[in-house]
Amino acid sequence: MSSALQQRQTVLTRTILVVFAIVFAAPLIVAAITSMKSPSELTRVLALPTEFYWQNYLVAFERMGRSFFNSIAITVPAVALSILIGAIAGYPLAYMRGSSGRLVYFLLLTGMLVPFQIVQIPLFFLIQRLGLYDTIAGMWLVHTAYAVPFCTFFMRNFFASVPRSMYEAALIDGCGPTRYFWKLLLPASTSGLAALAIIQSRSIWNDLLFAITLTSSDSARPVTVQISGFASSLQVEYGPLMAATLVSVLPVMAAYLMFQKAFVRGLLGGAGK
Amino acid sequence: MALRSLMSNRTTRTHLAFLALPVVLFVTFYIYPIVSSIHLSLHSWDGFSPAMRWVGLQNYATLLGQPRFINAVFNNITWVVFMLVVPTGIGLLLAALLDRGMRGEGVFRIIFFLPFTIPAVAVAAIWRWMYEPSNGLLTTVLNLIGLGGLSQNWLGDPNIVNFSLMGAVAWWTTGFAFLVFFAGLRNIPTECIEASRIEGATPWQTFWKVSFPLLWPSTIIVLGMSAIDAMRLFDVVWAMTKGGPAYSSEVLATQMYDLAFGRFAMGQASAVAVYLLIIAAVIIMPYIYYMSNRVTESEAE
């Protein structure tokens, strides 16, 4: 291939990538700029704000109340519990031979196709009867339970990519299957666990469906419900709304940027096998 | 020999003990609610009264006669097709282009993936602002480049509201497909690529004949997840349009939520949920079956 042609292709590739990057970044940039504008500047969409109108952020924090902290209180333990359950279920399924293991795996996998809507009404009454309606602990339980199929699927595939010889060697050395799991397998799986933790924190932090069904007061409502109410009020004030939106976006974004490498590695471990 | 069977017994018992808690959670939070939903769908109930009235399959029949329900089914199927094609296609394109070793790779990677990390309600808030008919970004840009005539009442027109929602969702979900494909491409041994280059294949040929077939594991993950997400779609539609205007953008999930918690028609809402489960099962079950078989095959190797 001639180098001129090659160069033209590189330029073309680069142009396409830059155009897409602009399209992908524009909504976020516009949101960031909007969050800094005073109400009178809002109508000039493309203009930069003349000064940083920090009242937007004050109003946003006031409107969000404690929902931001509720989101943290829900997400952190629920992520830890759900990846632990995924690992606990994925471990025997990665090592069991024969049809019974396969049947359990198939059953758990079918859970992935269940639209949450079908459980929504009975779940509402179940959680109420358990006395967990409108509590943070109720949200832990629900998020952990509904993570079982995906987390099991993910951790099982990850464990299956860990060399089996490690397992056999450990058993021959007299290490029991339980000790092997806690002392050897889990520590060797940090990249998989980290990748799953990122995926889970995104889906738990971002959840709206369970939150609007199972919480009703400021004591347990996460930030997503608060923003959704904020956004559908009659007079939408876009300045404070964009400020609140950006604040709600930051934790998961930061988590992703921090664990990006582990995420890609873990995804490969899961997807490669 | 005795020691061996003792060990394997102990192993089996440990395995079963490990499975106990997940299975209990699964039965309590999946099996029981599904059975209960089916039971509820055969009744007429407002959610409060002590007595439910048995109506048999009447809820199911009523729904089939409603244009509102038929429209939601149609929308759900459109969403599945859309999710399988558009975010997946764009994600593959971006991954393939970026894999050619571009300067600033890390920055591109972050920009393409970031929207995926955002909550649906944030996507909705941002895009409602983008779609403002009078001074949203979209209308402003169209006016600026002299195509102001193309601007629309993006979310208020029943004929285009679904396309507007799809634009927002494509922006939101493409990052996932992109990242999985990108990771998959990086996982392909360089010898395969080099061998095909030496044979004189163009980059285009190399991609379709060598890389793409080797990307099969990534493709399976992306397609499966997209189909599941499309069937479950709720948050973005709810937060952007509540299914409106005039139910035009409703999907089964938002319709069920409106019937159950807006109108307290628990029986009919449950029937919508059961229909959704059936449609999801028909579309996604072959995928799940394929996955669990593939896993057993790879073990047999």
Side-chain angles (χ1 to χ4, degrees):
Chain A
M1 198 180 345
S2 74
S3 73
L5 181 66
Q6 211 162 12
Q7 201 161 17
R8 225 167 340 139
Q9 277 185 346
T10 312
V11 171
L12 182 68
T13 306
R14 206 168 174 81
T15 314
I16 299 175
L17 285 173
V18 168
V19 169
F20 270 102
I22 291 171
V23 172
F24 272 78
L28 284 174
I29 293 170
V30 170
I33 291 175
T34 305
S35 76
M36 298 175 207
K37 282 181 176 173
S38 68
S40 62
E41 288 179 318
L42 271 183
T43 47
R44 277 166 292 138
V45 180
L46 293 175
L48 289 172
T50 46
E51 59 177 339
F52 179 50
Y53 187 75
W54 52 271
Q55 278 92 328
N56 286 338
Y57 282 83
L58 278 190
V59 175
F61 275 111
E62 203 179 306
R63 289 279 193 95
M64 284 197 291
R66 53 175 288 191
S67 70
F68 186 78
F69 301 100
N70 287 341
S71 275
I72 295 173
I74 291 170
T75 306
V76 174
V79 167
L81 285 172
S82 63
I83 63 176
L84 185 68
I85 291 279
I88 284 176
Y91 167 57
L93 295 176
Y95 289 97
M96 267 164 108
R97 299 278 170 168
S99 56
S100 56
R102 194 179 149 198
L103 187 72
V104 176
Y105 184 56
F106 182 72
L107 204 71
L108 290 180
L109 273 189
T110 53
M112 287 205 318
L113 76 79
V114 174
F116 293 142
Q117 287 74 26
I118 191 163
V119 303
Q120 201 176 3
I121 298 171
L123 180 69
F124 173 75
F125 294 109
L126 178 70
I127 288 293
Q128 240 173 5
R129 240 178 302 150
L130 291 173
L132 291 173
Y133 180 74
D134 200 26
T135 62
I136 286 178
M139 298 302 287
W140 294 342
L141 182 63
V142 167
H143 282 302
T144 306
Y146 289 102
V148 166
F150 179 74
C151 292
T152 306
F153 166 74
F154 189 98
M155 287 318 297
R156 188 224 163 273
N157 289 356
F158 191 87
F159 290 151
S161 72
V162 175
R164 213 189 154 79
S165 48
M166 188 167 121
Y167 179 63
E168 275 148 15
L171 287 201
I172 288 168
D173 286 346
C175 171
T178 312
R179 240 173 75 92
Y180 169 75
F181 176 74
W182 294 108
K183 298 277 168 188
L184 289 166
L185 190 61
L186 274 193
S189 306
T190 42
S191 71
L193 292 168
L196 187 57
I198 302 257
I199 297 176
Q200 282 304 100
S201 33
R202 171 186 173 270
S203 72
I204 295 171
W205 183 273
N206 297 0
D207 162 69
L208 176 67
L209 183 70
F210 289 132
I212 50 174
T213 321
L214 303 176
T215 63
S216 61
S217 74
D218 286 345
S219 62
R221 286 218 138 145
V223 70
T224 47
V225 179
Q226 215 68 9
I227 288 182
S228 134
F230 195 166
S232 57
S233 59
L234 238 41
Q235 273 293 317
V236 183
E237 299 160 80
Y238 275 102
L241 176 60
M242 287 305 136
T245 302
L246 288 176
V247 172
S248 79
V249 157
L250 286 177
V252 176
M253 257 187 196
Y256 170 71
L257 292 180
M258 271 195 304
F259 295 109
Q260 211 193 136
K261 285 228 169 75
F263 180 68
V264 174
R265 246 201 334 266
L267 216 55
L268 279 178
K273 260 275 155 175
Chain B
M1 196 61 210
L3 180 72
R4 184 166 221 172
S5 82
L6 191 74
M7 194 164 90
S8 89
N9 268 340
R10 183 175 161 213
T11 308
T12 311
R13 261 184 286 124
T14 314
H15 284 167
L16 291 179
F18 268 72
L19 280 176
L21 184 57
V23 168
V24 167
L25 284 174
F26 189 79
V27 171
T28 319
F29 287 92
Y30 284 88
I31 312 265
Y32 161 73
I34 289 173
V35 173
S36 166
S37 266
I38 295 171
H39 174 74
L40 208 53
S41 72
L42 304 171
H43 292 80
S44 171
W45 190 41
D46 60 8
F48 306 105
S49 346
M52 297 192 224
R53 195 163 53 84
W54 169 266
V55 294
L57 292 173
Q58 198 193 309
N59 286 325
Y60 292 90
T62 312
L63 285 173
L64 286 181
Q66 284 176 352
R68 180 185 171 188
F69 173 74
I70 303 298
N71 179 57
V73 172
F74 176 77
N75 281 346
N76 258 94
I77 293 173
T78 314
W79 274 105
V80 171
V81 175
F82 168 80
M83 292 285 279
L84 289 179
V85 176
V86 178
T88 313
I90 300 176
L92 181 62
L93 172 78
L94 295 178
L97 291 179
L98 199 59
D99 188 48
R100 298 180 57 185
M102 283 292 138
R103 221 158 5 104
E105 181 203 297
V107 178
F108 281 119
R109 208 167 63 190
I110 290 172
I111 292 177
F112 294 150
F113 188 73
L114 271 193
F116 180 71
T117 64
I118 299 181
V121 288
V123 174
I126 292 171
W127 281 81
R128 278 175 53 163
W129 177 231
M130 305 267 298
Y131 284 140
E132 272 286 290
S134 53
N135 52 21
L137 182 70
L138 214 57
T139 303
T140 309
V141 170
L142 284 175
N143 283 335
L144 200 71
I145 56 176
L147 294 172
L150 287 181
S151 63
Q152 305 278 342
N153 185 1
W154 304 106
L155 295 174
D157 183 339
N159 293 315
I160 57 169
V161 62
N162 280 308
F163 298 106
S164 306
L165 289 176
M166 284 173 185
V169 170
W171 176 77
W172 185 36
T173 55
T174 296
F176 178 72
F178 159 76
L179 202 77
V180 177
F181 282 130
F182 190 71
L185 284 170
R186 282 291 144 99
N187 211 21
I188 294 173
T190 43
E191 303 91 66
C192 297
I193 310 291
E194 269 161 23
S196 95
R197 283 223 185 104
I198 291 165
E199 300 281 323
T202 64
W204 180 258
Q205 285 171 330
T206 307
F207 181 76
W208 287 111
K209 298 269 161 67
V210 181
S211 306
F212 188 64
L214 290 171
L215 267 184
W216 189 230
S218 311
T219 313
I220 295 173
I221 298 245
V222 172
L223 291 180
M225 289 311 204
S226 304
I228 290 169
D229 283 349
M231 293 307 308
R232 283 178 175 174
L233 184 72
F234 172 78
D235 331 41
V236 177
V237 177
W238 187 254
M240 274 178 92
T241 67
K242 295 254 187 316
Y247 303 137
S248 53
S249 64
E250 245 185 1
V251 288
L252 290 170
T254 57
Q255 181 168 105
M256 197 229 101
Y257 187 81
D258 178 54
L259 287 173
F261 300 97
R263 288 156 203 269
F264 303 103
M266 294 294 173
Q268 210 173 54
S270 300
V272 172
V274 175
Y275 272 125
L276 179 61
L277 181 69
I278 295 170
I279 298 171
V282 168
I283 295 178
I284 301 160
M285 206 60 176
Y287 168 77
I288 304 278
Y289 189 70
Y290 173 80
M291 284 307 290
S292 75
N293 269 339
R294 216 172 71 89
V295 154
T296 334
E297 275 163 31
S298 74
E299 245 159 36
E301 275 165 21

